[in-house]
Each structure stands twice: as C-alpha cells, then as structure tokens.
Amino acid sequence: PNSHRVYYGHVTDAQNAVIDEVLMIPMLEPRSYTREDVIEFHCHGSRVCLDRVLRRCFELGCRLARPGEFTLRAYLNGRIDLAQAESIGQLVSAKTVAAADSALAGLKGGIGGEITPLRARLIDLIAEVEARIDFEEDVEDEIDLEATLVALQDCERKI
C-alpha cells in the first residue's frame, strides 16, 4: 500500500464473511509517529463492530499497544526527545484546557528545541579550547578570550 492514503474495504472473518466495512490508512516508516510501519483501521463505532474487528485482528496476530508504547517507540526511534515524550504524557492526563495547552507547547519543541542549539554551541566552545590546549604548538593565533567569554555569557543568559 501507499503511505498516508485512505483505502476502503471490508474486514472478513475466517470464513470470509464480512464483519464490517472499514477505512485503512497505512503510515509507512519513517513517516509515522513512531518512525515504524503502522496501519490504522477506521470502523463503525458500535461496540459490536469494534469487538468483531479487534477479535479478527487478534486472530491474525495483532495485539493492543501498551499504554505509552507508541510514545516510547517514537522516543527510541529519535522522532521525539525526552521533553516531548513527557509533554505527551502530560497531554494525555490533562484535566484542564490550560494543562493541555501547556503540554502542547512542550510538544512543539519546548525546552528541547531551546537546549539543542545551546548544547551545540557549548560543545563547539569546549572543542576549540581543548584543541588549543592539546595542539598549542600547531595553532598560530591565540584564542579570543573576550569573544569566548561573550559566547559563554550568551549561553548562560539563554539558560
């Protein structure tokens, strides 16, 4: 199947009798929430239809996801960072609109989006200082202490 396309069809039981008509949406890696292949079925909303479709899926080897499993897989596959994973947990358990809005803000990059560039800048500064110490005889110009201090103070201010 093609990723992110809606397919119409029927789920049938082991005797090929129609259980329900469904929509199926395949989301193939890496373009899924978990960066793994995932298929969603949309069936009619009655408990009977849902139970029959689920029962058939179980017969074919499927299982229900454990609570937090998709978020864990997304994190392990590098789709989200730890701060975003925590925001998802907060969103799922939110009891107020304000709590949901706060969690959604964290999903948009939140603190991880702010820390990543700071971390990269600090690593660059450390690498330059260490290289100048380790290879002092190979470096012709001296380190610009004023510029290094300004860069460190800028990182500190952002933290």
Side-chain angles (χ1 to χ4, degrees):
N2 292 321
S3 189
H4 294 81
R5 299 276 171 95
V6 177
Y7 293 88
Y8 167 81
H10 296 92
V11 174
T12 58
D13 64 17
Q15 290 72 41
N16 214 28
V18 173
I19 295 173
D20 195 9
E21 60 181 359
V22 298
L23 299 176
M24 179 191 80
I25 305 171
M27 290 166 275
L28 306 179
E29 57 103 0
R31 294 179 49 216
S32 72
Y33 175 68
T34 62
R35 287 195 175 154
E36 298 173 339
D37 292 343
V38 177
I39 293 179
E40 286 186 3
F41 285 103
H42 296 250
C43 58
H44 288 97
S46 77
R47 191 76 212 169
V48 171
C49 291
L50 179 60
D51 287 345
R52 292 174 79 190
V53 170
L54 279 174
R55 189 176 321 114
R56 182 62 177 145
C57 289
F58 297 152
E59 289 170 1
L60 295 171
C62 297
R63 66 171 176 79
L64 293 177
R66 293 178 295 277
E69 181 175 355
F70 278 79
T71 299
L72 174 63
R73 289 173 177 261
Y75 170 72
L76 293 175
N77 290 324
R79 166 79 170 61
I80 58 174
D81 63 27
L82 185 57
Q84 290 171 308
E86 290 174 350
S87 293
I88 292 165
Q90 292 167 357
L91 179 61
V92 170
S93 64
K95 304 282 189 245
T96 67
V97 171
D101 288 346
S102 175
L104 284 169
L107 276 178
K108 294 178 183 173
I111 195 160
E114 295 175 23
I115 288 182
T116 299
L118 284 173
R119 181 179 182 273
R121 181 66 180 129
L122 289 169
I123 288 172
D124 286 346
L125 290 168
I126 290 168
E128 178 163 353
V129 170
E130 286 180 349
R132 288 178 177 278
I133 291 170
D134 292 342
F135 305 103
E136 181 179 0
E137 63 279 353
D138 297 330
V139 179
E140 294 178 15
D141 57 330
E142 292 192 21
I143 190 167
D144 185 344
L145 292 176
E146 183 66 29
T148 302
L149 183 60
V150 167
L152 286 170
Q153 289 170 338
D154 183 53
C155 290
E156 181 183 36
R157 188 173 43 259
K158 290 178 180 174
I159 291 172

mmCIF file of all heavy atoms in Angstrom, residues 65-115:
data_model
loop_
_atom_site.group_PDB
_atom_site.id
_atom_site.type_symbol
_atom_site.label_atom_id
_atom_site.label_comp_id
_atom_site.label_asym_id
_atom_site.label_seq_id
_atom_site.Cartn_x
_atom_site.Cartn_y
_atom_site.Cartn_z
ATOM 1 N N ALA A 65 -1.657 -2.054 21.755
ATOM 2 C CA ALA A 65 -0.467 -1.369 22.247
ATOM 3 C C ALA A 65 -0.598 -1.168 23.746
ATOM 4 O O ALA A 65 -1.695 -0.939 24.264
ATOM 5 C CB ALA A 65 -0.309 -0.023 21.549
ATOM 6 N N ARG A 66 0.501 -1.268 24.439
ATOM 7 C CA ARG A 66 0.517 -0.988 25.871
ATOM 8 C C ARG A 66 0.457 0.523 26.072
ATOM 9 O O ARG A 66 0.865 1.290 25.197
ATOM 10 C CB ARG A 66 1.781 -1.570 26.501
ATOM 11 C CG ARG A 66 1.802 -3.101 26.488
ATOM 12 C CD ARG A 66 3.092 -3.665 27.079
ATOM 13 N NE ARG A 66 4.278 -3.333 26.311
ATOM 14 C CZ ARG A 66 4.694 -3.993 25.228
ATOM 15 N NH1 ARG A 66 4.004 -5.019 24.784
ATOM 16 N NH2 ARG A 66 5.790 -3.629 24.595
ATOM 17 N N PRO A 67 -0.037 0.980 27.221
ATOM 18 C CA PRO A 67 -0.072 2.427 27.476
ATOM 19 C C PRO A 67 1.320 3.039 27.327
ATOM 20 O O PRO A 67 2.290 2.545 27.902
ATOM 21 C CB PRO A 67 -0.566 2.531 28.924
ATOM 22 C CG PRO A 67 -1.332 1.267 29.149
ATOM 23 C CD PRO A 67 -0.621 0.206 28.330
ATOM 24 N N GLY A 68 1.426 4.086 26.521
ATOM 25 C CA GLY A 68 2.696 4.773 26.308
ATOM 26 C C GLY A 68 3.624 4.114 25.307
ATOM 27 O O GLY A 68 4.707 4.624 25.035
ATOM 28 N N GLU A 69 3.215 2.989 24.732
ATOM 29 C CA GLU A 69 4.110 2.254 23.837
ATOM 30 C C GLU A 69 4.464 3.041 22.582
ATOM 31 O O GLU A 69 5.616 3.056 22.149
ATOM 32 C CB GLU A 69 3.488 0.909 23.440
ATOM 33 C CG GLU A 69 4.372 0.091 22.533
ATOM 34 C CD GLU A 69 3.818 -1.285 22.220
ATOM 35 O OE1 GLU A 69 2.766 -1.661 22.781
ATOM 36 O OE2 GLU A 69 4.437 -1.977 21.400
ATOM 37 N N PHE A 70 3.498 3.718 21.981
ATOM 38 C CA PHE A 70 3.792 4.472 20.767
ATOM 39 C C PHE A 70 4.745 5.634 21.075
ATOM 40 O O PHE A 70 5.660 5.920 20.301
ATOM 41 C CB PHE A 70 2.504 4.986 20.123
ATOM 42 C CG PHE A 70 1.818 3.951 19.289
ATOM 43 C CD1 PHE A 70 1.061 2.961 19.870
ATOM 44 C CD2 PHE A 70 1.935 3.965 17.907
ATOM 45 C CE1 PHE A 70 0.436 2.001 19.108
ATOM 46 C CE2 PHE A 70 1.317 3.009 17.126
ATOM 47 C CZ PHE A 70 0.561 2.016 17.731
ATOM 48 N N THR A 71 4.549 6.282 22.205
ATOM 49 C CA THR A 71 5.434 7.381 22.590
ATOM 50 C C THR A 71 6.833 6.850 22.881
ATOM 51 O O THR A 71 7.829 7.463 22.474
ATOM 52 C CB THR A 71 4.859 8.122 23.807
ATOM 53 O OG1 THR A 71 3.584 8.663 23.426
ATOM 54 C CG2 THR A 71 5.764 9.247 24.254
ATOM 55 N N LEU A 72 6.930 5.709 23.547
ATOM 56 C CA LEU A 72 8.235 5.103 23.803
ATOM 57 C C LEU A 72 8.941 4.781 22.490
ATOM 58 O O LEU A 72 10.124 5.087 22.318
ATOM 59 C CB LEU A 72 8.082 3.833 24.654
ATOM 60 C CG LEU A 72 9.370 3.030 24.864
ATOM 61 C CD1 LEU A 72 10.406 3.853 25.628
ATOM 62 C CD2 LEU A 72 9.069 1.717 25.583
ATOM 63 N N ARG A 73 8.225 4.187 21.546
ATOM 64 C CA ARG A 73 8.831 3.856 20.250
ATOM 65 C C ARG A 73 9.259 5.115 19.500
ATOM 66 O O ARG A 73 10.320 5.140 18.877
ATOM 67 C CB ARG A 73 7.860 3.033 19.411
ATOM 68 C CG ARG A 73 7.676 1.622 19.925
ATOM 69 C CD ARG A 73 6.567 0.902 19.144
ATOM 70 N NE ARG A 73 6.421 -0.450 19.575
ATOM 71 C CZ ARG A 73 6.944 -1.510 18.937
ATOM 72 N NH1 ARG A 73 7.637 -1.331 17.848
ATOM 73 N NH2 ARG A 73 6.756 -2.719 19.402
ATOM 74 N N ALA A 74 8.437 6.164 19.568
ATOM 75 C CA ALA A 74 8.791 7.425 18.916
ATOM 76 C C ALA A 74 10.071 7.991 19.534
ATOM 77 O O ALA A 74 10.957 8.481 18.820
ATOM 78 C CB ALA A 74 7.646 8.415 19.032
ATOM 79 N N TYR A 75 10.189 7.908 20.846
ATOM 80 C CA TYR A 75 11.381 8.393 21.532
ATOM 81 C C TYR A 75 12.604 7.548 21.159
ATOM 82 O O TYR A 75 13.661 8.082 20.799
ATOM 83 C CB TYR A 75 11.160 8.375 23.053
ATOM 84 C CG TYR A 75 12.424 8.641 23.830
ATOM 85 C CD1 TYR A 75 12.980 9.922 23.864
ATOM 86 C CD2 TYR A 75 13.069 7.616 24.518
ATOM 87 C CE1 TYR A 75 14.155 10.165 24.569
ATOM 88 C CE2 TYR A 75 14.233 7.855 25.214
ATOM 89 C CZ TYR A 75 14.778 9.124 25.237
ATOM 90 O OH TYR A 75 15.941 9.358 25.919
ATOM 91 N N LEU A 76 12.473 6.230 21.231
ATOM 92 C CA LEU A 76 13.601 5.339 20.932
ATOM 93 C C LEU A 76 14.060 5.463 19.482
ATOM 94 O O LEU A 76 15.238 5.258 19.181
ATOM 95 C CB LEU A 76 13.228 3.880 21.241
ATOM 96 C CG LEU A 76 13.004 3.565 22.720
ATOM 97 C CD1 LEU A 76 12.517 2.130 22.889
ATOM 98 C CD2 LEU A 76 14.271 3.809 23.533
ATOM 99 N N ASN A 77 13.140 5.818 18.598
ATOM 100 C CA ASN A 77 13.477 5.964 17.180
ATOM 101 C C ASN A 77 13.880 7.392 16.809
ATOM 102 O O ASN A 77 14.025 7.715 15.630
ATOM 103 C CB ASN A 77 12.311 5.496 16.309
ATOM 104 C CG ASN A 77 12.122 3.994 16.386
ATOM 105 O OD1 ASN A 77 13.077 3.243 16.477
ATOM 106 N ND2 ASN A 77 10.880 3.554 16.351
ATOM 107 N N GLY A 78 14.040 8.267 17.807
ATOM 108 C CA GLY A 78 14.521 9.615 17.556
ATOM 109 C C GLY A 78 13.495 10.573 16.977
ATOM 110 O O GLY A 78 13.839 11.652 16.516
ATOM 111 N N ARG A 79 12.243 10.198 17.002
ATOM 112 C CA ARG A 79 11.183 11.058 16.451
ATOM 113 C C ARG A 79 10.870 12.225 17.389
ATOM 114 O O ARG A 79 10.556 13.321 16.953
ATOM 115 C CB ARG A 79 9.945 10.202 16.206
ATOM 116 C CG ARG A 79 8.646 10.902 15.955
ATOM 117 C CD ARG A 79 8.518 11.427 14.545
ATOM 118 N NE ARG A 79 7.189 11.889 14.232
ATOM 119 C CZ ARG A 79 6.533 12.871 14.848
ATOM 120 N NH1 ARG A 79 7.065 13.484 15.872
ATOM 121 N NH2 ARG A 79 5.332 13.222 14.466
ATOM 122 N N ILE A 80 10.963 11.962 18.697
ATOM 123 C CA ILE A 80 10.724 12.992 19.710
ATOM 124 C C ILE A 80 11.833 12.914 20.749
ATOM 125 O O ILE A 80 12.488 11.876 20.890
ATOM 126 C CB ILE A 80 9.345 12.829 20.400
ATOM 127 C CG1 ILE A 80 9.220 11.446 21.051
ATOM 128 C CG2 ILE A 80 8.205 13.058 19.408
ATOM 129 C CD1 ILE A 80 7.960 11.252 21.875
ATOM 130 N N ASP A 81 12.035 14.015 21.472
ATOM 131 C CA ASP A 81 13.019 13.983 22.557
ATOM 132 C C ASP A 81 12.311 13.681 23.881
ATOM 133 O O ASP A 81 11.084 13.568 23.930
ATOM 134 C CB ASP A 81 13.836 15.277 22.605
ATOM 135 C CG ASP A 81 13.006 16.523 22.891
ATOM 136 O OD1 ASP A 81 11.952 16.429 23.542
ATOM 137 O OD2 ASP A 81 13.438 17.613 22.468
ATOM 138 N N LEU A 82 13.083 13.556 24.934
ATOM 139 C CA LEU A 82 12.521 13.180 26.226
ATOM 140 C C LEU A 82 11.531 14.224 26.746
ATOM 141 O O LEU A 82 10.478 13.871 27.285
ATOM 142 C CB LEU A 82 13.633 12.948 27.251
ATOM 143 C CG LEU A 82 13.201 12.427 28.610
ATOM 144 C CD1 LEU A 82 12.439 11.113 28.473
ATOM 145 C CD2 LEU A 82 14.412 12.238 29.514
ATOM 146 N N ALA A 83 11.832 15.494 26.544
ATOM 147 C CA ALA A 83 10.917 16.546 26.996
ATOM 148 C C ALA A 83 9.579 16.446 26.256
ATOM 149 O O ALA A 83 8.510 16.622 26.858
ATOM 150 C CB ALA A 83 11.544 17.925 26.785
ATOM 151 N N GLN A 84 9.624 16.152 24.968
ATOM 152 C CA GLN A 84 8.384 15.996 24.201
ATOM 153 C C GLN A 84 7.618 14.759 24.659
ATOM 154 O O GLN A 84 6.387 14.788 24.751
ATOM 155 C CB GLN A 84 8.684 15.917 22.711
ATOM 156 C CG GLN A 84 9.150 17.238 22.128
ATOM 157 C CD GLN A 84 9.641 17.087 20.706
ATOM 158 O OE1 GLN A 84 10.489 16.251 20.411
ATOM 159 N NE2 GLN A 84 9.101 17.909 19.825
ATOM 160 N N ALA A 85 8.324 13.678 24.963
ATOM 161 C CA ALA A 85 7.659 12.466 25.465
ATOM 162 C C ALA A 85 6.935 12.770 26.774
ATOM 163 O O ALA A 85 5.803 12.327 26.988
ATOM 164 C CB ALA A 85 8.679 11.343 25.655
ATOM 165 N N GLU A 86 7.576 13.533 27.635
ATOM 166 C CA GLU A 86 6.938 13.912 28.894
ATOM 167 C C GLU A 86 5.726 14.806 28.637
ATOM 168 O O GLU A 86 4.701 14.692 29.313
ATOM 169 C CB GLU A 86 7.943 14.610 29.805
ATOM 170 C CG GLU A 86 9.000 13.660 30.350
ATOM 171 C CD GLU A 86 10.090 14.359 31.138
ATOM 172 O OE1 GLU A 86 10.154 15.607 31.122
ATOM 173 O OE2 GLU A 86 10.879 13.653 31.771
ATOM 174 N N SER A 87 5.816 15.681 27.641
ATOM 175 C CA SER A 87 4.681 16.538 27.295
ATOM 176 C C SER A 87 3.498 15.714 26.805
ATOM 177 O O SER A 87 2.346 16.043 27.089
ATOM 178 C CB SER A 87 5.089 17.552 26.224
ATOM 179 O OG SER A 87 6.016 18.472 26.744
ATOM 180 N N ILE A 88 3.761 14.642 26.086
ATOM 181 C CA ILE A 88 2.682 13.771 25.619
ATOM 182 C C ILE A 88 1.981 13.121 26.800
ATOM 183 O O ILE A 88 0.751 13.064 26.861
ATOM 184 C CB ILE A 88 3.218 12.716 24.627
ATOM 185 C CG1 ILE A 88 3.654 13.413 23.342
ATOM 186 C CG2 ILE A 88 2.164 11.644 24.336
ATOM 187 C CD1 ILE A 88 4.510 12.572 22.440
ATOM 188 N N GLY A 89 2.765 12.668 27.783
ATOM 189 C CA GLY A 89 2.168 12.108 28.996
ATOM 190 C C GLY A 89 1.303 13.130 29.719
ATOM 191 O O GLY A 89 0.211 12.825 30.191
ATOM 192 N N GLN A 90 1.776 14.375 29.767
ATOM 193 C CA GLN A 90 1.002 15.438 30.404
ATOM 194 C C GLN A 90 -0.261 15.747 29.610
ATOM 195 O O GLN A 90 -1.319 16.006 30.197
ATOM 196 C CB GLN A 90 1.863 16.700 30.544
ATOM 197 C CG GLN A 90 2.996 16.531 31.534
ATOM 198 C CD GLN A 90 4.021 17.652 31.452
ATOM 199 O OE1 GLN A 90 3.921 18.538 30.616
ATOM 200 N NE2 GLN A 90 5.018 17.591 32.311
ATOM 201 N N LEU A 91 -0.169 15.700 28.286
ATOM 202 C CA LEU A 91 -1.342 15.966 27.451
ATOM 203 C C LEU A 91 -2.404 14.888 27.646
ATOM 204 O O LEU A 91 -3.590 15.186 27.809
ATOM 205 C CB LEU A 91 -0.929 16.047 25.973
ATOM 206 C CG LEU A 91 -2.045 16.306 24.975
ATOM 207 C CD1 LEU A 91 -2.728 17.639 25.246
ATOM 208 C CD2 LEU A 91 -1.495 16.280 23.548
ATOM 209 N N VAL A 92 -1.977 13.644 27.669
ATOM 210 C CA VAL A 92 -2.916 12.534 27.833
ATOM 211 C C VAL A 92 -3.615 12.596 29.184
ATOM 212 O O VAL A 92 -4.792 12.268 29.297
ATOM 213 C CB VAL A 92 -2.181 11.178 27.648
ATOM 214 C CG1 VAL A 92 -3.048 10.009 28.055
ATOM 215 C CG2 VAL A 92 -1.717 11.024 26.209
ATOM 216 N N SER A 93 -2.909 13.057 30.207
ATOM 217 C CA SER A 93 -3.504 13.100 31.545
ATOM 218 C C SER A 93 -4.065 14.475 31.909
ATOM 219 O O SER A 93 -4.534 14.660 33.038
ATOM 220 C CB SER A 93 -2.466 12.670 32.588
ATOM 221 O OG SER A 93 -1.388 13.585 32.613
ATOM 222 N N ALA A 94 -4.050 15.428 30.979
ATOM 223 C CA ALA A 94 -4.526 16.790 31.274
ATOM 224 C C ALA A 94 -6.002 16.783 31.674
ATOM 225 O O ALA A 94 -6.829 16.140 31.041
ATOM 226 C CB ALA A 94 -4.309 17.691 30.064
ATOM 227 N N LYS A 95 -6.309 17.537 32.720
ATOM 228 C CA LYS A 95 -7.686 17.649 33.206
ATOM 229 C C LYS A 95 -8.303 19.009 32.884
ATOM 230 O O LYS A 95 -9.494 19.203 33.053
ATOM 231 C CB LYS A 95 -7.727 17.440 34.724
ATOM 232 C CG LYS A 95 -7.132 16.132 35.190
ATOM 233 C CD LYS A 95 -8.083 14.986 34.978
ATOM 234 C CE LYS A 95 -7.568 13.742 35.643
ATOM 235 N NZ LYS A 95 -7.226 12.677 34.753
ATOM 236 N N THR A 96 -7.468 19.952 32.444
ATOM 237 C CA THR A 96 -7.968 21.289 32.133
ATOM 238 C C THR A 96 -7.436 21.730 30.776
ATOM 239 O O THR A 96 -6.437 21.193 30.279
ATOM 240 C CB THR A 96 -7.517 22.315 33.194
ATOM 241 O OG1 THR A 96 -6.089 22.458 33.111
ATOM 242 C CG2 THR A 96 -7.934 21.901 34.593
ATOM 243 N N VAL A 97 -8.084 22.731 30.208
ATOM 244 C CA VAL A 97 -7.634 23.294 28.936
ATOM 245 C C VAL A 97 -6.239 23.899 29.097
ATOM 246 O O VAL A 97 -5.375 23.741 28.231
ATOM 247 C CB VAL A 97 -8.646 24.353 28.426
ATOM 248 C CG1 VAL A 97 -8.099 25.108 27.231
ATOM 249 C CG2 VAL A 97 -9.977 23.691 28.076
ATOM 250 N N ALA A 98 -5.996 24.561 30.206
ATOM 251 C CA ALA A 98 -4.694 25.180 30.445
ATOM 252 C C ALA A 98 -3.583 24.122 30.502
ATOM 253 O O ALA A 98 -2.500 24.320 29.946
ATOM 254 C CB ALA A 98 -4.715 25.995 31.735
ATOM 255 N N ALA A 99 -3.863 23.005 31.155
ATOM 256 C CA ALA A 99 -2.871 21.930 31.236
ATOM 257 C C ALA A 99 -2.604 21.334 29.855
ATOM 258 O O ALA A 99 -1.460 21.046 29.503
ATOM 259 C CB ALA A 99 -3.346 20.846 32.204
ATOM 260 N N ALA A 100 -3.659 21.164 29.060
ATOM 261 C CA ALA A 100 -3.496 20.638 27.699
ATOM 262 C C ALA A 100 -2.695 21.612 26.849
ATOM 263 O O ALA A 100 -1.795 21.199 26.099
ATOM 264 C CB ALA A 100 -4.854 20.360 27.069
ATOM 265 N N ASP A 101 -2.990 22.907 26.961
ATOM 266 C CA ASP A 101 -2.248 23.911 26.195
ATOM 267 C C ASP A 101 -0.777 23.932 26.580
ATOM 268 O O ASP A 101 0.108 24.060 25.724
ATOM 269 C CB ASP A 101 -2.864 25.301 26.384
ATOM 270 C CG ASP A 101 -4.196 25.458 25.668
ATOM 271 O OD1 ASP A 101 -4.529 24.604 24.810
ATOM 272 O OD2 ASP A 101 -4.915 26.431 25.980
ATOM 273 N N SER A 102 -0.491 23.791 27.855
ATOM 274 C CA SER A 102 0.890 23.768 28.325
ATOM 275 C C SER A 102 1.623 22.552 27.756
ATOM 276 O O SER A 102 2.767 22.649 27.304
ATOM 277 C CB SER A 102 0.921 23.745 29.846
ATOM 278 O OG SER A 102 2.237 23.605 30.316
ATOM 279 N N ALA A 103 0.967 21.406 27.777
ATOM 280 C CA ALA A 103 1.575 20.188 27.239
ATOM 281 C C ALA A 103 1.798 20.321 25.737
ATOM 282 O O ALA A 103 2.841 19.908 25.214
ATOM 283 C CB ALA A 103 0.683 18.985 27.546
ATOM 284 N N LEU A 104 0.852 20.903 25.024
ATOM 285 C CA LEU A 104 1.003 21.096 23.577
ATOM 286 C C LEU A 104 2.177 22.012 23.256
ATOM 287 O O LEU A 104 2.881 21.804 22.270
ATOM 288 C CB LEU A 104 -0.289 21.649 22.977
ATOM 289 C CG LEU A 104 -1.416 20.635 22.826
ATOM 290 C CD1 LEU A 104 -2.730 21.342 22.487
ATOM 291 C CD2 LEU A 104 -1.068 19.596 21.774
ATOM 292 N N ALA A 105 2.385 23.018 24.094
ATOM 293 C CA ALA A 105 3.531 23.915 23.893
ATOM 294 C C ALA A 105 4.833 23.131 23.996
ATOM 295 O O ALA A 105 5.771 23.365 23.234
ATOM 296 C CB ALA A 105 3.502 25.055 24.914
ATOM 297 N N GLY A 106 4.890 22.168 24.920
ATOM 298 C CA GLY A 106 6.073 21.329 25.062
ATOM 299 C C GLY A 106 6.292 20.423 23.868
ATOM 300 O O GLY A 106 7.421 20.086 23.525
ATOM 301 N N LEU A 107 5.218 20.032 23.214
ATOM 302 C CA LEU A 107 5.333 19.171 22.032
ATOM 303 C C LEU A 107 5.940 19.893 20.844
ATOM 304 O O LEU A 107 6.530 19.276 19.974
ATOM 305 C CB LEU A 107 3.949 18.653 21.622
ATOM 306 C CG LEU A 107 3.462 17.439 22.348
ATOM 307 C CD1 LEU A 107 2.061 17.070 21.884
ATOM 308 C CD2 LEU A 107 4.398 16.277 22.125
ATOM 309 N N LYS A 108 5.780 21.189 20.785
ATOM 310 C CA LYS A 108 6.270 21.966 19.647
ATOM 311 C C LYS A 108 7.769 22.191 19.711
ATOM 312 O O LYS A 108 8.299 22.999 18.980
ATOM 313 C CB LYS A 108 5.543 23.312 19.577
ATOM 314 C CG LYS A 108 4.080 23.179 19.280
ATOM 315 C CD LYS A 108 3.408 24.530 19.263
ATOM 316 C CE LYS A 108 1.920 24.366 19.047
ATOM 317 N NZ LYS A 108 1.206 25.631 19.196
ATOM 318 N N GLY A 109 8.435 21.475 20.529
ATOM 319 C CA GLY A 109 9.874 21.644 20.652
ATOM 320 C C GLY A 109 10.231 21.997 22.071
ATOM 321 O O GLY A 109 11.227 21.567 22.592
ATOM 322 N N GLY A 110 9.379 22.787 22.695
ATOM 323 C CA GLY A 110 9.539 23.136 24.099
ATOM 324 C C GLY A 110 10.975 23.366 24.486
ATOM 325 O O GLY A 110 11.753 23.979 23.772
ATOM 326 N N ILE A 111 11.340 22.828 25.605
ATOM 327 C CA ILE A 111 12.680 23.048 26.140
ATOM 328 C C ILE A 111 13.745 22.360 25.295
ATOM 329 O O ILE A 111 14.850 22.863 25.151
ATOM 330 C CB ILE A 111 12.761 22.624 27.621
ATOM 331 C CG1 ILE A 111 14.014 23.180 28.252
ATOM 332 C CG2 ILE A 111 12.659 21.125 27.762
ATOM 333 C CD1 ILE A 111 13.973 23.234 29.739
ATOM 334 N N GLY A 112 13.404 21.211 24.699
ATOM 335 C CA GLY A 112 14.374 20.520 23.854
ATOM 336 C C GLY A 112 14.790 21.358 22.665
ATOM 337 O O GLY A 112 15.946 21.370 22.260
ATOM 338 N N GLY A 113 13.829 22.104 22.093
ATOM 339 C CA GLY A 113 14.131 22.962 20.958
ATOM 340 C C GLY A 113 15.030 24.125 21.335
ATOM 341 O O GLY A 113 15.763 24.657 20.503
ATOM 342 N N GLU A 114 14.999 24.524 22.592
ATOM 343 C CA GLU A 114 15.844 25.618 23.063
ATOM 344 C C GLU A 114 17.214 25.121 23.519
ATOM 345 O O GLU A 114 18.226 25.805 23.351
ATOM 346 C CB GLU A 114 15.158 26.353 24.218
ATOM 347 C CG GLU A 114 13.866 27.049 23.800
ATOM 348 C CD GLU A 114 13.137 27.675 24.977
ATOM 349 O OE1 GLU A 114 13.784 27.963 26.000
ATOM 350 O OE2 GLU A 114 11.917 27.866 24.856
ATOM 351 N N ILE A 115 17.268 23.934 24.081
ATOM 352 C CA ILE A 115 18.519 23.422 24.633
ATOM 353 C C ILE A 115 19.447 22.878 23.553
ATOM 354 O O ILE A 115 20.662 23.022 23.650
ATOM 355 C CB ILE A 115 18.222 22.352 25.712
ATOM 356 C CG1 ILE A 115 17.678 23.056 26.936
ATOM 357 C CG2 ILE A 115 19.440 21.523 26.033
ATOM 358 C CD1 ILE A 115 17.385 22.178 28.101
#
